Amino acid sequence: MNKSRVTWRIVSTLSIVFLLVSNLLSITNEKFHNTLYDLLSHLPYEGLLSQSKHNKQIERDKLRAKERNAKMNRAKVLSKNIVGRTTKNAVLNASSVLGESVPFLGVGLIVAVTVSDLTTACETIADTNELLTILEEKEMTGEQASVCGMKVPSIGEIEDVIGGTIYHALNP
């Protein structure tokens, strides 16, 4: 056999034996483990790792994950707001039915509930558009402008219409 080949086999065999023994000792002997840790802690491996392409990719991935988590947290908040707002609006509508049925006085309640409905609808569309932005979808700005721009007649305007109707009904 070639002399360099024999030397290579001996060095390889000794290296493997050393690695096996050191691994076994580092697991079973605390003093050996601490000594080995102290020796390895002085190596400048952190500087080498920070310059590697792999580490830069990891940092980019961490940044993307952080941004994604921030978006998901914002989406959770928006979803909870929409659910809470919808629940309150449903309770308001259900509880206002009796008051709305009272002649003349119910008109004010109808106007107030309608204003509340429109405000809630506008806020819900705004939150939904923000969710669409988070999902990188196109916003529905036309619908938002349409709903948020709606005006409810004032109680005075309604009373004028109702009053005129009642007057004409009572005085034919």
Side-chain angles (χ1 to χ4, degrees):
M1 239 195 234
N2 188 342
K3 193 174 189 177
S4 65
R5 191 166 236 184
V6 171
T7 306
W8 174 251
R9 280 191 170 194
I10 291 171
V11 170
S12 297
T13 304
L14 288 174
S15 295
I16 291 172
V17 168
F18 172 76
L19 289 173
L20 288 172
V21 169
S22 66
N23 279 341
L24 195 65
L25 284 173
S26 70
I27 293 171
T28 59
N29 187 324
E30 183 180 359
K31 187 174 181 180
F32 181 81
H33 177 271
N34 290 339
T35 303
L36 193 60
Y37 180 81
D38 288 341
L39 286 173
L40 293 175
S41 68
H42 296 295
L43 293 176
Y45 63 88
E46 288 181 10
L48 296 172
L49 288 178
S50 67
Q51 300 303 318
S52 73
K53 288 182 182 178
H54 181 68
N55 193 49
K56 290 177 183 176
Q57 181 64 40
I58 290 172
E59 291 303 317
R60 284 192 297 269
D61 290 346
K62 283 182 184 177
L63 182 61
R64 270 190 248 127
K66 189 175 183 180
E67 290 171 355
R68 194 175 327 114
N69 284 340
K71 285 181 176 181
M72 292 307 293
N73 288 337
R74 181 63 186 148
K76 287 177 188 176
V77 167
L78 290 170
S79 297
K80 287 178 182 178
N81 288 348
I82 290 170
V83 169
R85 193 178 310 119
T86 303
T87 303
K88 288 178 187 175
N89 199 39
V91 169
L92 176 66
N93 278 302
S95 64
S96 68
V97 170
L98 287 175
E100 291 173 358
S101 66
V102 176
F104 296 106
L105 298 176
V107 172
L109 186 57
I110 291 171
V111 171
V113 170
T114 303
V115 168
S116 174
D117 284 344
L118 289 176
T119 302
T120 300
C122 182
E123 291 171 354
T124 300
I125 291 175
D127 285 350
T128 304
N129 278 337
E130 191 172 344
L131 278 172
L132 288 171
T133 301
I134 289 170
L135 296 172
E136 298 175 359
E137 294 290 330
K138 185 179 178 227
E139 291 183 19
M140 302 170 134
T141 52
E143 288 82 352
Q144 184 173 353
S146 173
V147 171
C148 295
M150 288 183 181
K151 299 289 182 213
V152 177
S154 70
I155 294 175
E157 292 170 333
I158 294 171
E159 285 176 347
D160 288 344
V161 171
I162 292 174
T165 305
I166 293 173
Y167 178 78
H168 291 299
L170 295 176
N171 301 310

